[in-house]
């Protein structure tokens, strides 16, 4: 299992120190406290951190001024400063040591407290004092080395961070199980533009990766620690933060980060954008993966780490020796020396881990990387990707000219020397290099993309070169093959007598052969993409463009005929064809098309068409039925008169289908007579009965003559059919005329007498019906008028009775309600009868007039606004098809009021009423008014026949007279229209009022 170790937690290390140590900011504020200081002073760490040094030594107030002066000395001189504190029984040496960065700036101040050597004049203690003084010096030296190690570790950590920031790849570190972005280098940031990532989980920072599998891979690596390598993996990213994602391909590594305890605490993400490489391999088009720069200080770091390791080992040995000499003298000091040794070991381990981490970074990178050291450019580091290009050849430790002598005369060698001399990064793409991969093998011409970048030491001097390389031989050769194929294709297409072109998958043109340019006089810049449209005829272009877009979207072959303008501005007809080319996945990668000149063919077709149209026009206008046959007797043409006369279609009549229109008694005889005449090439004539389009038979005479070509070749018949029915009937009638003339005259006189008598009876009946209708209307009007006042009086009396009388019968309330219902029903019936009479009289009084439907409907809806508001009803009005109709306006208003009030009255209780009122035109041209609701609906099978009857009601949960639909139907029918109803129980009802045509 491959893992990455994170840098040690220096705060944790500092807190664990057994010595008395404080870490101060330049202004003297305590930012960290060791466990040794807290134990020795009897304070809690939390009471020390965040306060000044005086607070930390509050138990020794006389010491504070000296500490203040010592801090000022360190701040001014950037040098360590030590003062002596004669504490009772245990004198101390208090040292303030500056911690500087590479630029000499003060970052922190390390405050330490050490036991001071005991002052004594006893000669017997001189040796011990000397040894103790020596130990003190060693401890001071160890402190300085510790500070230096911490400073170097901090510097290396910054270098490592700088390396990640400058690496030519997308690098990020994710912390915790939710994968929170802790560090993002510019290469990674470029994947999402200016979108902030640090501090966010990857699901928050890159939400577009949801359901693409990456979150699941990260979870798996975090749980198992198993490194995941992705190759040519597609990811859909919104790189420009526009809300639209696009596909990109990556080589990437997900690698677990371990803490000092070996536990997984995060994931290192290392990715390369290989979209261009993938595109080049799939489409054989020019594409390269740009290489980015790598960190130039890798070798310097390795050397410094190596020197640091040796120094640490030396310090360890010296400290160990000192411990052995002084063990018997001071066990406490020995413990401190061990602690210092542990700290140095931790620092060394950290440096080693950082070096190993950098080495793993380069060894696992999905690119060929090497580091060349010194002016001789000796291979100092070679990762597997670089070594793979030279199997069997030893590279490490050799100068590049010794390891790869074949590059001596190559520009690569010159650019390496130039980069080492100037420090200016050099980049090449697709450069060829003849390389002997293995000893004894012939040289191979290989192609590379590479970056040569200078490496600088700690003082900024060039001491080596970092090389990032990709072998792109396959891509370059593919491009060469594509270029060769393109030249061959161009040569071939220029040799054919047609215009040839190619297009991209999205339909943009990217190539035309010479015939196109010779014809149009255009340049490629004028016609690339969609520029070809300017040479199309304006009448053809909309159709042509629509067909081309349909073909591009469907991936189906394209064919059309259109006119193209030549260099003189003259349009000629072309047959335009295009065929898509697919890749192995069935995706269109290119279009190949051709334009073939068919102008002369179209001109001949037009001439023939005009000749045929002239013949057909002439034949269709002669007062006879014309027919033409082939030599085998099959009928190939019948003029329009035949189809209008017989009602046959062309499909039914051609061939021998015309015989089906002959009367069965003569059909076989007529067909045989024609076949005999056709066989003998003689004139054909036959009289028979022919079925008309009204299914009646009429007598016709059918005659035809054979036709021959100029060479005498028989070509079939040309004939005509003439209606002789009247003549035939006249002949038959003449034979019977003398016999039936007398009888007919007698019958005609009797019929005339009966007709006069019937007309008189009919006039009398109509007069009686008219009088009855008038009497009935007068009666209804009188009854409704005369009954209205008594009913109103009864209502008034009943209201007074309810107000003043007292009822003791327990059923009295129910009887009162029944009586009120009866009064209301009588009143409603009287109103309905009166409305019937009013409708009848309005039909007589109000003529038809133009009525605008929208204002009329809005007026009706406004009149019901309280009911509309109570039900929160919605109305949809659409009169675009027919804004105005011709009808009596008051009658149309009454129709709309009844239908719309019914729609609200019988609304479905479970939904808001939605009523749609619209207009349309029937197939026969009649105006239609449509009222559609989503109410209770009607059972049409049960109530359909009673729908428009007087006093019929179909829902009992609301009151009504049963007159509304009767009145609507009567108004419409009296106006010359009719009503169609479509209704479904629980869904709603649609009324279509067909009004008379204007």
């Amino acid at each position: 299992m491959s893992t990455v170790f994170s840098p040690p937690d220096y705060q944790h290390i500092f807190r664990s120190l057994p010595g008395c140590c404080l870490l101060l900011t330049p202004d003297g504020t305590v930012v960290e406290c060791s466990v040794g200081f807290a134990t020795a002073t009897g304070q809690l760490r939390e009471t020390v951190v965040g306060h000044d040094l005086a607070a930390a030594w509050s138990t020794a107030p006389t010491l504070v001024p000296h500490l203040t002066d010592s801090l000022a000395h360190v701040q001014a001189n950037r040098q360590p400063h030590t003062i002596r504190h004669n504490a009772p029984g245990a004198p101390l040496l208090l040292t303030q040591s500056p911690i500087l960065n590479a630029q000499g700036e003060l970052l922190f101040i390390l405050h330490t407290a050490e036991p001071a050597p005991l002052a004594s004049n006893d000669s017997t203690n001189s040796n011990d004092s000397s040894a103790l003084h020596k130990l003190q010096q060693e401890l001071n030296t160890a402190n300085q080395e510790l500070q230096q190690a911490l400073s170097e570790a901090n510097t290396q950590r910054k270098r490592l961070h700088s390396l990640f920031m400058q690496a030519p790849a997308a690098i990020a570190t994710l912390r915790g199980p939710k994968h929170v972005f802790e560090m993002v280098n510019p290469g990674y940031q470029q994947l999402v533009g200016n979108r902030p990532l640090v501090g966010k989980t990857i699901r928050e920072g890159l939400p577009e990766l949801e359901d693409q599998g990456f979150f699941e891979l990260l979870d798996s690596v975090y749980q198992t620690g198993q490194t995941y390598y992705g190759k040519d993996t597609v990811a859909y990213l919104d790189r420009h933060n526009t809300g639209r994602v696009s596909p990109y391909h990556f080589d990437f590594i997900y690698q677990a980060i371990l803490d000092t305890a070996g536990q997984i605490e995060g994931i290192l993400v290392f990715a390369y954008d290989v979209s261009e490489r993938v595109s080049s391999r799939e489409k054989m088009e020019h594409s390269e993966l740009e290489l980015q720069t790598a960190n130039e200080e890798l070798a310097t770091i390795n050397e410094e780490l190596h020197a640091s390791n040796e120094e640490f080992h030396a310090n360890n040995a010296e400290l160990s020796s000192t411990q052995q000499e002084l063990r018997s003298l001071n066990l406490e000091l020995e413990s401190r020396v061990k602690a210092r040794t542990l700290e140095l070991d931790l620092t060394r381990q950290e440096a080693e881990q950082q070096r190993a981490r950098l080495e793993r970074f380069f060894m696992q990178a999905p690119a060929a990387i090497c580091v060349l050291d010194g002016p001789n450019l000796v291979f100092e580091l070679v990762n597997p990707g670089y070594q793979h290009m030279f199997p069997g050849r030893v590279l490490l430790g050799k100068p590049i000219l010794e390891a790869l002598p074949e590059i001596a005369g190559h520009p690569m060698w010159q650019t390496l020397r130039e980069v080492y001399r100037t420090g200016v990064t050099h980049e090449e793409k697709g450069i060829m290099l003849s390389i002997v991969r293995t000893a004894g093998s012939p040289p191979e011409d290989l192609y590379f993309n590479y970056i040569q970048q200078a490496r600088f030491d700690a003082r900024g001097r060039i001491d080596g070169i970092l090389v990032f390389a990709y072998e792109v031989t396959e891509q370059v050769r593919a491009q060469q093959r594509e270029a060769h194929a393109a030249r061959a294709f161009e040569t071939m297409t220029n040799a054919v007598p047609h215009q040839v072109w190619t297009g991209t998958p999205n339909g943009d043109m990217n190539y035309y052969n010479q015939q196109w340019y010779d014809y149009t006089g255009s340049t490629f810049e004028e016609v690339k993409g969609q520029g070809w449209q300017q040479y199309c005829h304006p009448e053809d272009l909309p159709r042509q463009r629509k067909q081309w877009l349909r073909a591009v979207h469907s991936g189906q072959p394209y064919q059309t005929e259109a006119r193209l303008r030549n260099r003189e501005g003259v349009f000629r007809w072309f047959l335009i064809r295009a065929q898509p080319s697919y890749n192995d996945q069935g995706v269109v990668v290119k279009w190949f098309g051709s334009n073939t000149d068919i102008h002369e063919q179209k001109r001949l077709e037009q001439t023939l068409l005009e000749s045929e149209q002239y013949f057909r026009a002439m034949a269709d206008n002669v007062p006879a039925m014309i027919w033409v046959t082939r030599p085998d007797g099959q009928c190939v043409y019948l003029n329009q008169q035949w189809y209008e006369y017989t009602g046959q279609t062309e499909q039914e009549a051609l061939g021998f289908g015309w015989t089906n229109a002959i009367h069965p008694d003569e059909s076989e005889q007529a067909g045989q007579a024609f076949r005999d005449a056709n066989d003998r090439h003689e004139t054909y004539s036959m009289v028979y009965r022919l079925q008309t389009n009204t299914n009646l038979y009429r007598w016709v005479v059918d005659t035809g003559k054979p036709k021959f070509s100029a060479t005498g070749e028989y070509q079939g018949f040309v004939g005509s059919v003439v209606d002789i029915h009247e003549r035939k009937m006249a002949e038959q009638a003449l034979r019977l005329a003398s016999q039936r003339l007398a009888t007919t005259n007698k019958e005609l006189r009797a019929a005339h007498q009966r007709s006069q008598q019937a007309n008189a009876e009919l006039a009398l009946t109509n007069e009686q019906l008219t009088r009855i209708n008038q009497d009935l209307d007068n009666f209804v009007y009188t009854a409704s008028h005369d009954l209205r006042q008594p009913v109103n009086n009864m209502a008034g009396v009943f209201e007074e009775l309810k107000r003043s009388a007292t009822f003791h019968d327990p059923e009295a309330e129910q009887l009162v309600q029944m009586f009120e219902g009866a009064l209301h029903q009588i009143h409603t019936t009287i109103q309905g009868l009166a409305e019937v009479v009013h409708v009848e009289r309005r039909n007589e009084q109000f003529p038809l007039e133009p009525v605008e439907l929208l204002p009329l409907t809005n007026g009706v809806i406004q009149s019901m606004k309280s009911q509309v508001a109570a039900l929160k009803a919605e109305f949809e009005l659409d009169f675009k098809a027919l804004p105005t109709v011709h009808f009596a306006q008051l009658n149309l208003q009454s129709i709309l009021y009844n239908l719309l009030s019914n729609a609200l009255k019988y609304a479905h209780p479970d939904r808001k009423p939605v009523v749609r009122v619209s207009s349309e035109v029937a197939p026969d041209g009649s105006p239609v008014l449509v009222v559609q609701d989503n109410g209770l609906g009607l059972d049409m099978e049960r109530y359909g026949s009673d729908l428009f009857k007087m006093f019929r009601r179909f829902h009992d949960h609301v009151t009504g007279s049963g007159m509304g639909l009767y009145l609507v139907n009567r108004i419409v029918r009296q106006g010359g229209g009719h009503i169609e109803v479509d209704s479904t129980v629980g869904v709603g009802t649609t009324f279509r009022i067909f009004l008379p045509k204007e």
Side-chain angles (χ1 to χ4, degrees), residues 814-884:
Q814 182 177 1
L815 292 173
V816 168
Q817 291 178 353
M818 292 174 61
F819 189 78
E820 285 180 331
L823 280 177
H824 179 73
Q825 185 65 35
I826 293 172
H827 181 75
T828 302
T829 301
I830 292 172
Q831 287 294 108
L833 292 173
E835 182 63 21
V836 171
V837 177
H838 291 158
V839 166
E840 189 70 27
R841 293 180 177 178
R842 279 206 305 267
N843 286 334
E844 297 174 356
Q845 296 173 0
F846 299 110
L848 299 181
E849 58 180 314
V851 180
E852 293 186 13
L853 293 176
L854 182 59
L856 179 66
T857 307
N858 281 330
V860 173
I861 296 173
Q862 184 64 23
S863 69
M864 300 183 294
K865 62 181 181 180
S866 58
Q867 190 176 3
V868 171
L871 294 174
K872 297 182 179 179
E874 292 183 2
F875 289 87
E876 299 175 359
L877 308 181
D878 182 7
F879 302 116
K880 294 179 181 178
L882 201 64
T884 304

Side-chain angles (χ1 to χ4, degrees), residues 570-871:
V570 178
F571 286 94
R572 293 181 64 85
W573 280 98
F574 282 82
L575 173 62
I576 304 174
R577 293 192 180 99
Q579 188 73 25
S581 176
Y582 304 93
N583 61 13
D584 294 339
Q585 289 74 40
V587 178
V588 175
V589 296
K590 204 165 192 176
W591 285 88
F592 294 89
S594 66
N595 305 337
T596 303
D597 192 319
I598 58 170
H599 191 76
E600 293 303 320
Q601 178 183 341
K602 291 288 289 186
R603 187 179 62 81
L604 291 174
E605 289 178 357
Q606 184 62 29
T607 302
L608 291 174
L609 178 62
E610 291 174 355
S611 298
E612 182 179 355
Q613 290 175 343
Y614 176 77
F615 169 77
R616 288 181 177 271
M618 180 181 66
D620 287 342
N621 286 282
V622 298
M625 292 171 272
I626 308 297
W627 51 269
V628 178
T629 68
R630 296 190 314 217
D632 61 358
Q634 295 276 349
C635 182
V636 294
Y637 171 74
L638 286 159
N639 70 344
Q640 189 63 29
Q641 303 291 349
W642 172 275
Y643 300 118
E644 292 177 356
Y645 187 90
T646 64
Q648 281 188 314
T649 64
E650 188 176 64
Q651 185 178 3
E652 294 171 341
L654 294 182
F656 288 102
W658 58 274
T659 60
N660 295 328
I662 300 175
H663 195 284
D665 293 347
E666 294 104 24
S667 177
E668 184 177 353
Q669 179 184 359
Q672 187 60 48
F674 172 75
R675 286 189 288 273
D676 291 343
N678 187 64
D679 293 339
R680 295 193 298 269
H681 304 168
E682 295 178 350
T683 299
Y684 160 74
S685 181
M686 185 70 186
V687 176
Y688 53 77
R689 284 170 290 178
L690 186 65
Q691 189 176 28
T692 68
N693 56 11
T694 59
N695 294 326
L696 298 177
Y697 286 94
R698 292 177 64 86
W699 287 97
V700 298
V701 56
D702 189 358
T703 57
K705 289 188 176 183
K707 61 176 180 174
F708 300 90
S709 67
T711 59
E713 182 181 0
Y714 175 62
Q715 295 182 326
F717 268 87
V718 175
S720 64
V721 178
V722 179
D723 188 310
I724 60 169
H725 190 75
E726 282 71 17
R727 188 182 73 184
K728 191 74 172 178
M729 293 297 98
E731 292 174 355
Q732 295 177 1
L734 286 174
R735 288 195 297 268
L736 299 175
S738 57
Q739 301 173 6
R740 299 177 57 184
L741 183 58
T743 304
T744 300
N745 288 335
K746 183 178 180 181
E747 291 175 352
L748 286 174
R749 285 193 297 270
H752 180 66
Q753 292 175 355
R754 290 194 298 273
S755 176
Q756 288 180 333
Q757 183 179 357
N759 288 336
E761 293 174 353
L762 182 59
L764 180 60
T765 301
N766 286 337
E767 182 180 356
Q768 292 174 347
L769 287 174
T770 300
R771 188 169 56 255
I772 291 172
N773 283 335
Q774 291 176 348
D775 292 343
L776 181 58
D777 288 343
N778 291 332
F779 169 75
V780 170
Y781 181 77
T782 301
S784 63
H785 181 271
D786 293 345
L787 288 175
R788 184 179 288 112
Q789 187 59 39
V791 169
N792 290 337
N793 293 338
M794 289 174 63
V797 171
F798 186 68
E799 286 297 323
E800 179 63 24
L801 181 62
K802 286 197 300 178
R803 188 183 63 80
S804 59
T806 301
F807 301 98
H808 301 287
D809 190 337
E811 297 181 357
E813 184 176 355
Q814 182 177 1
L815 292 173
V816 168
Q817 291 178 353
M818 292 174 61
F819 189 78
E820 285 180 331
L823 280 177
H824 179 73
Q825 185 65 35
I826 293 172
H827 181 75
T828 302
T829 301
I830 292 172
Q831 287 294 108
L833 292 173
E835 182 63 21
V836 171
V837 177
H838 291 158
V839 166
E840 189 70 27
R841 293 180 177 178
R842 279 206 305 267
N843 286 334
E844 297 174 356
Q845 296 173 0
F846 299 110
L848 299 181
E849 58 180 314
V851 180
E852 293 186 13
L853 293 176
L854 182 59
L856 179 66
T857 307
N858 281 330
V860 173
I861 296 173
Q862 184 64 23
S863 69
M864 300 183 294
K865 62 181 181 180
S866 58
Q867 190 176 3
V868 171
L871 294 174

